[in-house]
Amino acid sequence: MNENLFTPFTTPTLLELPVVVPIILFPTLLLPTSKYLINNRLITIQQKLVQLILKQMMVIHNTKGQTWSLMLMSLIIFIASTNFLGLLPYSFTATTQLSMNLAMAIPLWAGTVITGLRFKTKSSLAHFLPQGTPTPLIPALVIIETISLFIQPMALAVRLTANITAGHLLMHLIGSATLALLTISLLATSLTLVLLVMLTILEMAVALIQAYVFTLLVSLYLHDNT
Amino acid sequence: MPCVLLGDCSVGIFSHSSVSVPVKDKKLLEVKLGELPSWILMRDFSPSGILGAFQRGYYRYYNKYINVRKGSISGITMVLACYVLFNYCISYKHLKHERLRKYH
């Protein structure tokens, strides 16, 4: 029981070859592109969704911030599609690995901070001290603000990892509990089954929301710094 | 002169099975069973050949199910079903131990 609880999170291997990279690249197969203005039904649906998300996310930024639209749109589509594919049975979700989330979070956060320091040095350094603090508190507050700045990428990565991993684990546990209760008591089985169905719906929402939150926070850090 | 009078019929006389297609260029369903080993050995197994085979397979599926005017959900669902099967095959080694048996 203990060993097979975490085997969905191990590196998938095919004949002892790690097959992680094709699995990470698999969502690209599901997102077709087109060079025409008017497309078939599937591509039009997808393009309309992307435009909806684009308008929602990038309207708060100024011109300089909107140069990041391609990056942020790719980010949210990648995270959302990877999370959704992880809800299929037996699949491996790349966003459960902390290494990958850190690799996404740290460069993006560092990019926003360095942009802010390069172009608006005074104003981005001024973020370290909130307005109207009493004078004796200033040293302590600067230290606290610095720590809170450096914790941002860690929080981004760990939030995504923990949410998706916890969701998958919970579904696994409640699923095996339902199976085990089948022979003991039918009422308990049906109750756990209802719980499982609701959890699956929650997981679908979480998949989307986590992608949204990740991208939103990166865009907020960007907004502060442009 | 006879060619002009006959018109398209002359084409019908010359496209006889005496001009046969070489084994290398036949499609799989047209290869006879005895020729199968030689057909397999004559395929292009270089990296660019394998890449070309993947590309042809991808575009064959794409143009049949996705790139149509009113694509339906079945085009994507088939891909996802194959993905689930693929992942099952990969994790079979771990799943073997989760069967409901008395002795594993």
Side-chain angles (χ1 to χ4, degrees):
Chain A
M1 176 68 176
N2 291 328
E3 190 221 285
N4 56 32
L5 200 54
F6 287 104
T7 45
F9 301 115
T10 56
T11 329
T13 59
L14 178 66
L15 311 168
E16 309 309 320
L17 277 172
V19 77
V20 197
V21 176
I23 290 187
I24 292 182
L25 294 175
F26 180 70
T28 55
L29 279 183
L30 300 171
L31 300 166
T33 56
S34 162
K35 55 188 182 189
Y36 302 112
L37 187 60
I38 302 180
N39 299 308
N40 52 36
R41 197 197 264 174
L42 287 174
I43 294 185
T44 313
I45 293 176
Q46 177 202 310
Q47 281 177 347
K48 286 256 184 300
L49 281 173
V50 171
Q51 271 173 5
L52 181 73
I53 304 173
L54 178 70
K55 287 205 161 62
Q56 165 79 6
M57 299 240 87
M58 303 311 292
V59 78
I60 53 175
H61 293 128
N62 54 11
T63 314
K64 190 155 175 48
Q66 279 177 357
T67 54
W68 279 60
S69 349
L70 181 61
M71 184 71 231
L72 292 176
M73 282 306 113
S74 319
L75 189 65
I76 189 171
I77 288 174
F78 172 67
I79 300 182
S81 59
T82 312
N83 289 346
F84 270 120
L85 280 178
L87 291 174
L88 292 171
Y90 303 124
S91 38
F92 171 73
T93 324
T95 38
T96 53
Q97 310 298 316
L98 185 63
S99 49
M100 194 179 97
N101 295 337
L102 275 175
M104 283 196 296
I106 292 184
L108 288 169
W109 165 84
T112 62
V113 166
I114 291 177
T115 315
L117 285 177
R118 261 185 81 187
F119 296 109
K120 287 166 58 171
T121 320
K122 245 195 300 183
S123 137
S124 77
L125 283 176
H127 276 129
F128 282 132
L129 196 61
Q131 270 180 337
T133 56
T135 326
L137 276 176
I138 289 183
L141 215 54
V142 170
I143 294 177
I144 291 175
E145 289 286 329
T146 318
I147 296 177
S148 117
L149 180 74
F150 281 102
I151 241 183
Q152 278 174 355
M154 302 295 144
L156 271 177
V158 172
R159 180 187 304 115
L160 187 56
T161 313
N163 268 301
I164 307 292
T165 316
H168 283 305
L169 269 176
L170 213 54
M171 278 205 288
H172 204 150
L173 279 171
I174 293 190
S176 49
T178 318
L179 266 181
L181 281 176
L182 198 58
T183 51
I184 298 177
S185 142
L186 210 57
L187 178 66
T189 310
S190 42
L191 281 177
T192 8
L193 202 60
V194 167
L195 194 58
L196 191 59
V197 168
M198 291 200 309
L199 196 61
T200 313
I201 297 175
L202 176 68
E203 281 310 305
M204 292 190 200
V206 166
L208 197 55
I209 289 170
Q210 284 304 313
Y212 175 69
V213 165
F214 197 99
T215 315
L216 189 65
L217 284 173
V218 171
S219 90
L220 270 174
Y221 301 152
L222 186 64
H223 186 65
D224 281 342
N225 288 319
T226 46
Chain B
M1 283 305 268
C3 304
V4 176
L5 282 174
L6 288 171
D8 330 27
C9 294
S10 60
V11 179
I13 294 175
F14 287 125
S15 64
H16 202 56
S17 62
S18 57
V19 182
S20 57
V21 183
V23 175
K24 191 164 84 75
D25 293 328
K26 281 195 204 171
K27 292 192 195 175
L28 183 56
L29 290 172
E30 293 166 14
V31 169
K32 300 205 186 338
L33 211 55
E35 294 168 352
L36 197 58
S38 55
W39 182 85
I40 290 179
L41 289 172
M42 282 197 235
R43 297 294 293 174
D44 183 14
F45 286 117
S46 65
S48 67
I50 294 182
L51 210 65
F54 273 116
Q55 237 183 359
R56 272 176 282 136
Y58 173 78
Y59 280 115
R60 206 167 128 187
Y61 185 86
Y62 183 73
N63 287 328
K64 184 166 181 195
Y65 290 107
I66 314 248
N67 206 9
V68 290
R69 182 174 298 200
K70 289 188 176 182
S72 69
I73 209 173
S74 65
I76 314 175
T77 319
M78 279 194 275
V79 180
L80 291 178
C82 286
Y83 180 64
V84 170
L85 274 173
F86 176 67
N87 281 316
Y88 180 75
C89 295
I90 283 182
S91 46
Y92 180 70
K93 212 170 180 182
H94 300 289
L95 291 169
K96 239 182 358 181
H97 303 292
E98 289 182 25
R99 287 188 284 211
L100 292 171
R101 302 272 166 87
K102 191 172 171 188
Y103 301 110
H104 279 240

